[in-house]
Amino acid sequence: MIPSSVDYTRASSVGEAIRLLAENPDAKLLAGGHSLIPAMKLRLNSPALLIDIARIAELRFIEDTGNAIVIGAASTHADIITNPHLKGLTAMIEAGELIGDTQVRNMGTLGGSIAHADPSADWPAVLLALEAQIKVQGAEGERIIPAAEFFTGFFSTALDTGEIVTEIHLPKPAAGSASAYRKFMQPASRFAIVGCAASVSVEGGVISAANVAFTGVSDAAFLDEGVASALIGKPATLENIEAAASAAAEGDMHINEDHFASQAYRKHLAKVYAKRALAGACGL
C-alpha cells in the first residue's frame, strides 16, 4: 500500500527535535525507519509530520566511560556489532548479528527499536538481562529509566509525550560475568518467535548472579525471575541449567499465540532457548 500524505523535516539537534515534537503533536520521529515506514505503508500509522533524527551527531556514538558502555540512540545495529567497546557484552553482539539482514542492520537503530517496543524485537530482552539504563530527554529535561521499567506493554514504553531516547547505558561486566542471546526466529522477518538473553556471574564454579529475559513470549519483553532465582547458589552445570530453564514462562502471565506458534509451543521454546542462552553465557 501507499502511505498517507506526510510532511518531512530534518532536525539538526536533539533540542530542535524536541521543539518540533512539542509544536507538532501528530509528528513521529524517523531514525532508521524499519518499523515506522512499513506501518505507514499499511496505514497503521499516519503521522502528519516525520522528524528525521538519523543524522544528529550527538545521538550516534559508542564510548567507554569507565564503569559503563554508553551507546547513542541513533547508533545502528551494524555500529554495535562492529564496535570494539562492546566485545565484553556478548549478548549485544549476538543479538545484533541476528537482526534482519545487512540493509536492516546498516539502517535500523537501537533507540528506534526500543522506543517502538515491538514485542518480538531482540534488543529489549538484551537490555533487560544486562541491566541497562535508558536516558531520555524532553521539554522538561533529562531522566534515566531502568530497562526493567521501560517496556510497559504491547508496543508501549515509559516514554512520556515529547520525549526522545538519547542514550543507552550498559554496565561493564564484572570479572566472571558473561552473557549470551539465542532465538528461534521467523525466517522471513527474522523477528523472534522466542528470544532469550542471559547474563550470568560465576564465582568458583557457582552461579552468584543471573538475569534471564525473554522477547516474543508475551506482550512485552520481561525478566523471568523464576529461572534466575533457581540458578543462584548452584554450580554452573548443564544439569542445573536445564532444571532452572524448565521453569521458564510459567506462572500467571500472558503468552502470545499466532499463526507462527501456539501458546504451548511458545512455552516449550522458552524453556529450550533459556537453556541455550544460559549454557552460552556459562561457556558450556
Side-chain angles (χ1 to χ4, degrees):
M1 293 179 66
I2 298 173
S4 300
S5 176
V6 61
D7 290 328
Y8 169 91
T9 189
R10 179 180 295 163
S12 59
S13 67
V14 171
E16 183 182 9
I18 291 170
R19 177 182 60 79
L20 288 167
L21 278 175
E23 294 173 353
N24 301 274
D26 292 329
K28 287 287 185 182
L29 298 175
L30 177 68
H34 280 79
S35 298
L36 178 59
I37 299 302
M40 289 175 63
K41 286 184 174 182
L42 293 170
R43 300 204 177 188
L44 298 173
N45 205 320
S46 297
L49 173 68
L50 291 179
I51 303 169
D52 191 339
I53 61 172
R55 300 187 187 183
I56 298 178
E58 62 189 294
L59 290 178
R60 190 171 183 179
F61 67 90
I62 300 175
E63 64 181 23
D64 185 338
T65 63
N67 294 322
I69 306 299
V70 181
I71 306 174
S75 299
T76 66
H77 313 313
D79 291 338
I80 291 166
I81 295 166
T82 57
N83 192 280
H85 291 316
L86 288 159
K87 286 184 177 179
L89 293 165
T90 308
M92 292 291 291
I93 307 300
E94 292 176 339
E97 290 176 339
L98 292 173
I99 292 174
D101 52 25
T102 300
Q103 292 90 334
V104 171
R105 291 191 291 273
N106 283 335
M107 291 295 293
T109 66
L110 174 58
S113 176
I114 65 172
H116 187 62
D118 190 303
S120 295
D122 300 292
W123 291 129
V126 178
L127 298 192
L128 285 168
L130 297 178
E131 300 183 0
Q133 303 277 319
I134 299 165
K135 185 176 181 181
V136 305
Q137 185 175 339
E140 301 300 317
E142 298 177 336
R143 63 188 180 115
I144 299 290
I145 306 173
E149 300 173 9
F150 187 82
F151 305 102
T152 58
F154 186 69
F155 288 100
S156 62
T157 71
L159 280 170
D160 287 337
T161 301
E163 285 187 324
I164 297 174
V165 175
T166 57
E167 297 175 0
I168 295 86
H169 295 226
L170 295 164
K172 293 176 72 173
S177 298
S179 62
Y181 180 72
R182 302 289 186 269
K183 76 171 176 179
F184 182 76
M185 69 180 75
Q186 200 281 335
S189 70
R190 292 172 65 87
F191 273 99
I193 294 174
V194 168
C196 182
S199 176
V200 176
S201 297
V202 179
E203 298 178 11
V206 175
I207 297 172
S208 58
N211 286 326
V212 178
F214 286 102
T215 190
V217 175
S218 192
D219 53 2
F222 66 95
L223 283 164
D224 196 319
E225 296 180 1
V227 177
S229 62
L231 289 166
I232 307 301
K234 304 286 180 62
T237 64
L238 282 174
E239 292 78 12
N240 286 331
I241 287 172
E242 185 169 12
S246 67
E250 294 293 346
D252 184 18
M253 63 179 298
H254 168 77
I255 303 293
N256 290 337
E257 184 169 29
D258 52 32
H259 57 288
F260 296 124
S262 66
Q263 289 181 336
Y265 187 41
R266 268 194 168 85
K267 290 184 74 170
H268 167 73
L269 288 173
K271 301 175 195 309
V272 171
Y273 280 83
K275 178 182 176 181
R276 294 182 183 183
L278 285 164
C282 291
L284 299 173

